[in-house]
Amino acid sequence: MIWAALFIYLSSLLGGSPVLTGEWLIKDSKNQFKEVIQDKERSKNAMGVLDKMIRDAKDFNRESGKDKKELEKLMKDYRSTRGDFNQLFAEIQEKREALTASILDRIPNLKKNIPPEEWAKAFKNEMTP
Amino acid sequence: MKTTNTEFKCKIKPWTARLILLLGMILFLTACASKTKVQEGDAANLRAKWTKAVSKVIKDPERAEKLIALGVQYEEGNQALFSEIKNINQEIMNINRNYDSTQGDYERALGKFTKKKNEALQQCLDALFAMREQTTPEEWKTLLR
């Protein structure tokens, strides 16, 4: 019970925003846009950009699994120090920032293929994170 | 429509208005009271949960009590921080929804998100070390099994 209370909270703080690195991007974004993009060519291009963003996010999540194992070790080790934890958090943050930057860099390319009215339509019935 | 509204207003007698106001106040106070009861219930449940887990492992009542108090405090604090993080996520979702959002808008919100997460991480670490301090290596091992 104590393990769950400590580990679940801590490990959930290691990921990025569900909007850009998790739930929304991986699960919902392609379906949301696919439904509203009228032109086949633009749709193909937009899906290509989203595929790259999703691939990056999935790579990050895979890495994140390893980081959680490291966190688990530190938590169980009675001798671990605050410095050990902070070093791990800093490494994760660096990876998260790199991923976020790469995703943000791709957004203009995505918007090039989706005009404002289709963008608005795609988010009309979207679920909140 | 105007005439009807005026007629309607005239039909409400002062004592009826007072009664409506009184009923409204009773409903409001009842709602506040139930909320407090729920919050008290949550704290009691948390305490029961931590007591059950800790007392099996730590036989020294003083240390056990300290650990239980820290655990309850930790979970309550986390609930508040997680709710703030959820709000920032909603903000990021709104930025994402808006076609005209700039990279700067995303970066500002993500900066807030990271800041709040780091605050939460440090809070979790504070709790973890404070709890660990109340245990022996063997007890810690058993508690985190």
Side-chain angles (χ1 to χ4, degrees), chain A residues 5 9 13-15 18 20 25 36 41 44-45 49-50 54 57 60-61 65 71 75 78 89 102 104 106:
Chain A
Y9 277 127
L13 291 168
L14 302 181
L20 292 181
L25 179 63
V36 298
E41 188 62 25
K44 194 179 148 197
N45 292 340
V49 178
L50 282 170
I54 291 170
F60 172 79
N61 291 342
L71 173 68
M75 285 174 70
Y78 193 80
F89 296 159
S102 113
L104 289 185
R106 295 191 201 278

Side-chain angles (χ1 to χ4, degrees), chain B residues 105-123:
Chain B
D105 296 328
Y106 280 102
E107 282 168 355
R108 267 187 295 280
L110 286 165
K112 253 165 80 177
F113 179 77
T114 302
K115 195 176 163 216
K116 193 49 74 182
K117 275 205 163 190
N118 286 342
E119 202 181 310
L121 279 172
Q122 292 310 317
Q123 192 171 298

Side-chain angles (χ1 to χ4, degrees), chain A residues 6-14 71 75 89, chain B residues 121 124 128:
Chain A
L6 288 168
F7 184 71
I8 292 171
Y9 277 127
L10 262 168
S11 61
S12 70
L13 291 168
L14 302 181
L71 173 68
M75 285 174 70
F89 296 159
Chain B
L121 279 172
C124 284
L128 183 126

